[in-house]
């Protein structure tokens, strides 16, 4: 290999590394979609997740939360995650079973045994 060709390869690799580093240094905004109302635990936990991400990354990563089904229904949100339109969604096992049948096991009745101690207390 000629020295001139080798030099070009090294310069291209160094330039690619430099551009990657610059891109990584930029702030990132991620999208999270939820179908539940604002006061639902899924929406509340999504906003808490967004707060913690921003806090733990020093503000370099932000998560925008869209609840109340603003970005669509559960199947639409899962499709949006698959296509990269949004980054996260909060969903239930029943909806996820459409994409991975193994998730359906969590929706079966009587899968989990009820704790007798809890039942004895009237819960």
């Amino acid at each position: 290999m000629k020295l001139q060709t080798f030099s070009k390869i090294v310069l291209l690799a160094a330039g690619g590394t430099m551009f990657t580093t610059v891109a990584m240094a930029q702030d990132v905004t991620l999208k999270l979609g939820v179908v539940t109302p604002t006061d639902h635990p899924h929406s509340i936990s999504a906003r808490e997740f967004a707060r913690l991400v921003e806090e733990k990354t020093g503000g370099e990563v932000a998560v925008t939360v869209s609840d109340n089904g603003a970005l669509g229904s559960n199947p639409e949100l899962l499709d949006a995650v698959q296509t990269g339109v949004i980054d996260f969604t909060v969903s239930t096992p029943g909806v996820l079973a459409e994409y991975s049948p193994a998730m359906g096991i969590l929706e079966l009745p009587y899968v989990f045994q009820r704790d007798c101690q809890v039942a004895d207390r009237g819960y």
Side-chain angles (χ1 to χ4, degrees), residues 32-36 42-43 46 65-72 77 88-90:
L32 191 156
V34 188
V35 297
T36 55
H42 288 176
S43 297
V65 177
S66 300
D67 53 12
N68 284 319
L71 300 179
L77 288 175
F88 307 101
T89 186
V90 178

Side-chain angles (χ1 to χ4, degrees), residues 17-94:
T17 303
M18 181 182 73
F19 288 123
T20 303
T21 305
V22 170
M24 289 175 58
Q26 294 177 349
D27 292 343
V28 175
T29 301
L30 303 172
K31 297 178 199 166
L32 191 156
V34 188
V35 297
T36 55
T38 304
D39 60 346
H40 189 276
H42 288 176
S43 297
I44 294 168
S45 63
R47 286 192 304 280
E48 178 65 10
F49 171 75
R51 185 190 69 76
L52 288 171
V53 166
E54 190 164 350
E55 176 186 307
K56 300 292 183 184
T57 62
E60 291 182 16
V61 179
V63 178
T64 58
V65 177
S66 300
D67 53 12
N68 284 319
L71 300 179
S73 64
N74 271 325
E76 291 169 335
L77 288 175
L78 288 171
D79 288 338
V81 170
Q82 283 187 319
T83 57
V85 173
I86 64 172
D87 301 292
F88 307 101
T89 186
V90 178
S91 194
T92 60

